[in-house]
């Protein structure tokens, strides 16, 4: 049976934060016993902000000391960004986000995802053009790390970051930071014959014990008196310690090896198999967790070593403060040969996906009309079955890596229909800053969509798009059918889709017509809604009307209705489920070790619930009707099902992956010949290696130097285990190697390589 997914209701502080309020306002009452506000859940509406492109709240940080002022877009000399040259800095900062918290709060935003907060490369990135011109770029976006332990001075100092955190938390809004562990900056310039460029990584000063040193405000300081506040740690042009793969651009190499080991756009690619790299990146991530963030958006997960990603996520969640929300950018097309790798990535690593499959289908159905609404509905059903945690996938219409949805769809009616569908579909919706104000692009590039909102929009709280988000964000909070429910398609054609979200007796039915100027008659539809009249939740905002449900020969039916051009109806049935029977909506996180904290969301969870992982009983730290904080018990590693029992009532199950212990990497190697279509996999005695079940083996090993194959695998630290290699073909046929089982002992930290074994 498909398990239900998740929930969060944080208790919010009353009233809106005024821009002139205190830097550190009182924090909202925490949901969790650990004091965290709570991870992001499908109850939330996420708002993505490119920090430099939102609002300039503090002009004093527009041109930090040592920064080339010509890299700031200020042709008129007024000290503020012009919003014209989008390759340059514009001036948005954390104070600017604080100033707009009332705007975000009123829209129903409950989580904000911001650009990477740490120090980035701050020199010009020159692209040489064929005619002799030079395009000068900056790292305004935050994806070119220089020092993970210092703030980006264009956005503010550490006290400013903490002020943003506190201001958001005071209004019950969660904070997600972008985090980049795939690369530093561009180290070779592809527009000048791959000439040497930057890509260096720095770290703070240390004390005699090796601990990083900060001043009382949390910023870097010159602790050793050498006139510098940070120190060179790794240089891709003098990589004596193997911090980078150094293989150059991926180019046309579409293999998994190419994606994971070669450069993305000439960005210096970290060797995530190196123990020193692993330790530094895990230290950096837990440093920012300690600053009180609620989640991580991981950049470029398609290009990352999944074994490293699994270990990083485990390190973050196992650090003080409990589990976090994790989602990442696994960039795919539709259709895409990497789809299977994409859909299983959350199960293999614990990091969910930005839902590019949803994005592609939505763009095609509502944007360019290249797919039918029936096809879009089929995508919802297919992915609901394919994704283990479909309601945790972060859905979106547009973001910083693709063009603006408004550029594709300039007509308000299908634009609004797409937005309403996003807000009521399975998954956790993400709104790209300015989508609610119809921000568009000058062309189809991603950079053209990274407009300076302060210059491009009036922050109008009466736009239809703004009000659609506000209304449906409230519905997502109040009716668990939207946050945790299953999806079924009740009716579909080329242009019309009627779908249902359901969590036990709670239901929401949505009827959408994407055509702006054509009306369609929808025949009577079978439904499980009780007989009665259902008002449009949007109050007619998108021309919706009420629905009538009557019983016809023992079957409840929604009476036939007409959908006018662009009309969207949202009908909600939201009965109380009571407090007696426990029902699980979602769990954060979806993997962890015994002793880790786990958060369970749903209904009927209060009183004296008994939480079990399989047959093992967990310690319950706290509980309410909608939330349980528990501790993963000592239980066999591998897949377990979580249940909540109250008296004689047992909840639905939820899938959870129990790890054996703290995860380290072992890079397995074998010399083996194969026939066309065969790949080498690994199976072993521990859960991380499938517990001798070939169907649960590792992913296929990589073979850039065939017949030698290799694969980094996440295994428990210090564990001694047995393993063998197997061959699999596309039909699932398995050939085991002969001989005795092999034995290996994992390192206690970091990573280790095996010898190159020979197939037995």
């Amino acid at each position: 049976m498909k398990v239900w997914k998740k929930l969060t209701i944080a208790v919010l502080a009353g009233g809106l934060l005024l821009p002139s309020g205190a830097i550190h306002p009182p924090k909202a009452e925490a949901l969790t016993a650990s004091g965290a506000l709570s991870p992001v859940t499908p109850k939330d509406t996420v708002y993505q902000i490119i920090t430099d492109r939102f609002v300039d709240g503090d002009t004093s940080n527009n041109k930090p000391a040592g920064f080339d002022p010509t890299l700031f877009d200020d042709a008129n000399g007024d000290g503020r960004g012009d919003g014209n040259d989008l390759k340059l800095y514009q001036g948005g900062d954390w104070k600017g986000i604080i100033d707009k918290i009332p705007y975000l709060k009123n829209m129903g935003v409950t989580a904000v995802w911001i650009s990477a907060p740490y120090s980035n490369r701050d020199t010009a990135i020159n692209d040489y053009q064929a005619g002799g011109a030079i395009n000068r770029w900056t790292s305004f976006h935050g994806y070119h790390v220089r020092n993970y332990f210092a703030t980006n001075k264009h956005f503010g100092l550490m006290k400013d970051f903490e002020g943003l955190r506190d201001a958001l938390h005071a209004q019950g809004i969660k904070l997600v930071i972008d985090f980049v562990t795939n690369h530093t900056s561009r180290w070779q310039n592809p527009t000048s014959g791959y000439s040497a460029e930057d890509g260096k990584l720095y770290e703070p000063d240390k004390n005699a014990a090796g601990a990083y040193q900060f001043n009382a405000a949390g910023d870097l300081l010159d602790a050793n008196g050498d006139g510098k506040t940070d120190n060179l740690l790794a240089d891709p042009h003098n990589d004596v310690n193997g911090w980078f793969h150094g293989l150059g651009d991926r180019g046309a190499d579409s293999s998994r090896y190419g994606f994971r080991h070669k450069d993305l756009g000439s960005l210096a690619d970290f060797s995530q198999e190196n123990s020193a790299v692993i330790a530094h990146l895990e230290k950096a991530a837990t440093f920012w967790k300690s600053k009180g963030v609620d989640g991580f958006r991981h950049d470029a997960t398609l290009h990352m070593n999944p074994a490293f990603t699994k270990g990083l996520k485990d390190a973050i969640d196992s650090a003080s403060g409990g589990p976090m929300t994790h989602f990442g950018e696994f960039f795919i097309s539709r259709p895409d040969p990497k789809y299977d790798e994409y859909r299983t990535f959350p199960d293999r690593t614990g990091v969910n996906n930005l839902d590019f499959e949803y994005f592609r289908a939505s763009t095609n159905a509502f944007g360019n009309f290249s797919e039918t609404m029936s096809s879009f509905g089929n995508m919802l059903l297919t992915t609901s079955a394919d994704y283990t945690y479909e309601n945790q996938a972060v859905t979106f219409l547009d973001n910083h890596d693709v063009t603006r949805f408004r550029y594709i769809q300039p007509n308000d009616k299908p634009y609004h229909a797409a937005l309403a569908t996003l807000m009521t579909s399975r998954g956790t919706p993400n709104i790209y800053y300015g989508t609610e104000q119809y921000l568009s692009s000058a062309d189809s590039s991603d950079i053209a969509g990274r407009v300076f909102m302060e210059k491009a929009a009036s922050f109008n709280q009466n736009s239809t798009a703004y009000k659609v988000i506000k209304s449906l964000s409230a519905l997502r909070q109040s009716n668990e059918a939207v946050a945790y429910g299953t999806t079924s398609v009740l009716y579909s054609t080329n242009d019309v889709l009627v779908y249902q979200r359901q969590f036990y007796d709670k239901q929401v039915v949505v009827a959408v017509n994407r055509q702006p100027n054509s009306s369609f008659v929808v025949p009577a539809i079978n439904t499980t809604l009780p007989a009665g009249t259902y008002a449009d939740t949007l109050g007619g905002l998108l021309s919706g009307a009420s629905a009538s449900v009557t019983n016809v020969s023992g079957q409840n039916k929604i009476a036939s209705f007409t959908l006018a051009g662009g009309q969207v109806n949202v009908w909600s049935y939201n009965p109380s489920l009571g407090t007696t029977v426990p029902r699980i909506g979602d769990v954060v996180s979806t993997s962890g070790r015994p002793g880790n904290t786990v958060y369970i969301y749903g209904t009927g969870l209060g009183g004296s619930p008994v939480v079990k992982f399989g047959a093992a009983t967990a310690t319950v730290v706290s509980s309410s009707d909608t939330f349980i904080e528990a501790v993963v018990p000592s239980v066999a590693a591998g897949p377990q099902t979580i249940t909540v029992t109250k008296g004689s009532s047992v909840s639905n199950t939820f899938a959870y992956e129990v790890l054996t212990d703290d995860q380290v990497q072992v890079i397995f190697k074998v010399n083996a010949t194969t026939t066309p279509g065969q790949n080498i996999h690994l199976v072993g005695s521990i859960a991380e290696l499938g517990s001798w079940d070939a169907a649960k083996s590792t992913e296929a090993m990589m073979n850039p130097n065939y017949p030698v194959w290799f694969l980094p695998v996440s295994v428990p630290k210090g564990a001694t285990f047995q393993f063998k290699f197997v061959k699999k073909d596309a039909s699932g046929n398995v050939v085991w190697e002969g001989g005795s089982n092999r034995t290996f002992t994992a390192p206690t930290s970091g990573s280790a390589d095996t010898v190159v074994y020979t197939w037995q």
Side-chain angles (χ1 to χ4, degrees), residues 408-457:
I408 299 170
Q409 182 49 267
N411 189 296
D412 281 355
K413 289 184 177 179
Y415 187 92
H416 292 149
L419 192 55
T421 302
L422 174 76
M423 292 298 298
T424 51
S425 291
R426 96 288 176 282
T428 305
N430 177 65
I431 307 297
Y432 190 33
Y433 79 101
T435 295
E436 76 283 3
Q437 298 299 339
Y438 311 98
L439 291 189
S440 189
S441 308
D443 56 49
S444 62
S445 66
D446 55 5
I447 182 63
R450 301 177 186 182
V451 298
F452 190 18
M453 189 162 169
E454 179 181 286
K455 295 289 186 179

Side-chain angles (χ1 to χ4, degrees), residues 2 12 146 162 185 313 375 387 389 528 533 617 679 687 753:
K2 186 70 179 178
L12 309 183
R146 183 182 188 275
E162 293 169 347
S185 185
K313 181 266 178 194
S375 175
Y387 300 177
Y389 308 105
T528 53
T533 300
T617 301
N679 284 294
D753 288 52

Side-chain angles (χ1 to χ4, degrees), residues 75-121:
N76 63 12
D78 67 354
R80 305 185 72 90
D82 297 336
N84 294 325
D85 190 342
L86 298 180
K87 301 184 298 298
L88 306 181
Y89 275 98
Q90 299 296 331
D93 49 35
W94 295 324
K95 178 60 166 61
I97 299 174
I98 292 173
D99 291 345
K100 291 300 179 184
I101 287 178
Y103 171 85
L104 300 173
K105 176 80 170 179
N106 287 340
M107 192 177 10
V109 169
T110 55
V112 169
W113 156 22
I114 65 169
S115 303
Y118 44 72
S119 171
N120 264 234
R121 170 182 174 176

